[in-house]
Amino acid sequence: MPKKLIDTFGREINYARLSVTDRCDFRCVYCMAEEMTFLPKADILSLEELLTTAKALVDSGIKKIRLTGGEPLIRNNIMWLVEAISELDGLEELTLTTNGSHLSQYAEQLRCHGIKRINISIDSLQADKFKSITRTGNLQKVLEGIDAAIDAGFESIKLNSVILKNRNDDEVLSLLDFARQKNIDIAFIEEMPLGNIIEHNRLLSFCSSDELRKMIDQEYGLKPSQKKTNGPANYFSLANSKTHVGFISPHSHNFCGDCNRIRVTVEGRLLLCLGNENAIDLRELLRDPKINNAALITAIKDSMLIKPERHYFDLSEEPEIVRFMNATGG
Ligand code: SAM
Ligand code: SF4
């Protein structure tokens, strides 16, 4: 009997995002506040606990795991975890989302440890604007990271760009051109109201995927693509190019109906929905000597009962979800 996780709306949940740290070397304005308090060490799962969690997820029916954060590549000994998870029986794919700042150091090892596809976030190709969006980031290092990933021979590389009105919406075509030149994919993301930020007003910075799609279509002519990645992006192809363009539209085109995912924060909270606090505490179970893999699998299966049907994001109100994206595992 194949293992399957099915929620109460009949959706098969086969994808987990596992956050390996809430820390980051960047402070992107849509993701974090300028001054952040990070979790004390005792509260975060050890690498061994993260591996036990990954095993229980896979034994429950999860087929794909994405490592994320915070910035996953700044977690000490992350390569040990990557290697150990990639060897789990039953896991079909291990992927990673990174800000790229440490990729030139790790791209080759990630590829050797079985990561075939990787997402790299980049919101601007102008050094000063890149700095102002990330607050601390160095564009040159990220560009070197992207080149290192291309040289390492990943089967697929996708850039992720969060687009904010009057901030980087004028760079959509340059970001797309950059992806075309490098023969890699790109997805444009609508900002989500996670965490209380004061740096900008999310209602005013909202930039809809429809607007971007129209702009790109006029320039290049977009054709719907068959590309599917198990994620929420809607993909299009461009004439005379291998590049696929995706749009992730949590506001304008709610994708919850097809939701196939859960998230585990680095504190061990299994979150059933990005825009909702329904969760179970895996850390308590992981640290209980009486609890074994079978009990973890039961807890994960039971959590399906509280997976909500959808999120209700409203940019005009105070964010209902006060945890920041770095603490959520984006
Ligand atoms: N640090 C890594 C990175 O930036 O790729 C991985 C973690 S980050 C939280 C994962 C993704 O979430 C990034 O592509 C980032 O742009 C996106 N993100 C962060 N905050 C967001 C928000 N409020 N709305 C939409 N996307 C967000
Ligand atoms: Fe760090 Fe990624 Fe959040 Fe930017 S989006 S602050 S890189 S975790």
Side-chain angles (χ1 to χ4, degrees):
M1 186 73 176
K3 302 165 285 187
K4 275 195 177 170
L5 273 179
I6 309 281
D7 77 358
T8 57
F9 302 96
R11 298 172 295 197
E12 183 181 349
I13 309 303
N14 50 25
Y15 178 18
R17 293 192 170 200
L18 182 59
S19 175
V20 300
T21 179
D22 63 331
R23 286 161 198 269
C24 187
D25 48 345
F26 291 5
R27 296 283 183 277
C28 301
V29 293
Y30 46 76
C31 177
M32 290 195 190
E34 189 154 22
E35 297 298 326
M36 292 287 292
T37 310
F38 295 105
L39 292 166
K41 201 160 174 213
D43 288 358
I44 70 168
L45 299 186
S46 67
L47 292 180
E48 290 74 14
E49 288 169 335
L50 285 164
L51 177 59
T52 307
T53 303
K55 175 167 172 40
L57 288 168
V58 173
D59 290 347
S60 304
I62 292 294
K63 299 188 172 63
K64 172 174 167 181
I65 293 181
R66 176 176 296 283
L67 300 180
T68 181
E71 174 46 41
L73 295 182
I74 65 167
R75 175 85 197 238
N76 276 342
N77 279 330
I78 183 67
M79 285 305 147
W80 177 85
L81 186 67
V82 170
E83 187 171 11
I85 294 183
S86 71
E87 285 169 0
L88 288 175
D89 253 357
L91 182 68
E92 291 174 9
E93 189 173 20
L94 178 64
T95 58
L96 179 123
T97 300
T98 172
N99 66 20
S101 66
H102 288 71
L103 250 190
S104 41
Q105 181 186 344
Y106 286 123
E108 188 80 41
Q109 289 179 65
L110 287 168
R111 186 66 191 95
C112 290
H113 289 330
I115 296 212
K116 298 188 189 123
R117 302 190 305 133
I118 189 165
N119 288 355
I120 308 169
S121 304
I122 182 164
D123 304 322
S124 171
L125 293 166
Q126 299 170 20
D128 50 349
K129 200 188 290 180
F130 184 86
K131 181 83 159 200
S132 88
I133 294 176
T134 58
R135 291 195 180 103
T136 57
N138 176 333
L139 175 64
Q140 192 50 37
K141 274 182 123 176
V142 174
L143 295 176
E144 286 164 17
I146 293 171
D147 285 338
I150 293 170
D151 291 345
F154 288 94
E155 283 174 17
S156 151
I157 299 174
K158 175 168 70 87
L159 305 179
N160 276 338
S161 305
V162 176
I163 301 299
L164 308 180
K165 193 84 168 167
N166 296 327
R167 195 80 173 247
N168 61 346
D169 55 335
D170 59 334
E171 280 198 68
V172 167
L173 294 179
S174 344
L175 284 160
L176 178 58
D177 263 339
F178 175 76
R180 271 162 43 99
Q181 280 162 26
K182 302 272 180 194
N183 272 327
I184 57 183
D185 295 335
I186 184 162
F188 295 106
I189 306 175
E190 289 176 357
E191 182 184 13
M192 288 178 272
L194 298 174
N196 252 320
I197 51 160
I198 50 167
E199 199 266 352
H200 60 276
N201 178 331
R202 282 179 165 142
L203 192 57
L204 300 180
S205 60
F206 177 67
C207 194
S208 85
S209 295
D210 286 346
E211 186 181 331
L212 303 184
R213 204 170 56 217
K214 214 181 278 170
M215 186 204 303
I216 297 171
D217 193 32
Q218 274 169 6
E219 194 69 22
Y220 292 110
L222 288 173
K223 283 187 282 180
S225 152
Q226 296 308 313
K227 185 179 169 81
K228 267 272 151 224
T229 58
N230 227 355
N234 242 334
Y235 280 98
F236 293 81
S237 54
L238 303 166
N240 306 319
S241 168
K242 286 188 188 147
T243 296
H244 291 92
V245 189
F247 298 93
I248 302 179
S249 325
H251 300 284
S252 56
H253 297 275
N254 180 283
F255 41 68
C256 300
D258 297 328
C259 185
N260 59 352
R261 67 192 52 201
I262 49 179
R263 291 177 160 79
V264 181
T265 73
V266 74
E267 285 171 287
R269 286 183 78 208
L270 190 162
L271 288 170
L272 280 307
C273 171
L274 184 65
N276 197 291
E277 289 299 353
N278 289 17
I280 61 164
D281 182 2
L282 288 179
R283 186 180 63 195
E284 194 186 355
L285 301 177
L286 286 161
R287 294 186 179 175
D288 180 343
K290 298 189 292 300
I291 295 291
N292 58 16
N293 189 45
L296 283 172
I297 294 171
T298 303
I300 293 168
K301 291 204 159 150
D302 289 351
S303 75
M304 290 298 111
L305 295 172
I306 56 163
K307 183 163 170 61
E309 187 176 12
R310 54 167 296 173
H311 65 240
Y312 291 92
F313 286 143
D314 186 347
L315 290 170
S316 63
E317 293 177 3
E318 286 286 297
E320 217 174 287
I321 303 301
V322 292
R323 70 183 131 74
F324 288 97
M325 190 63 152
N326 72 300
T328 301

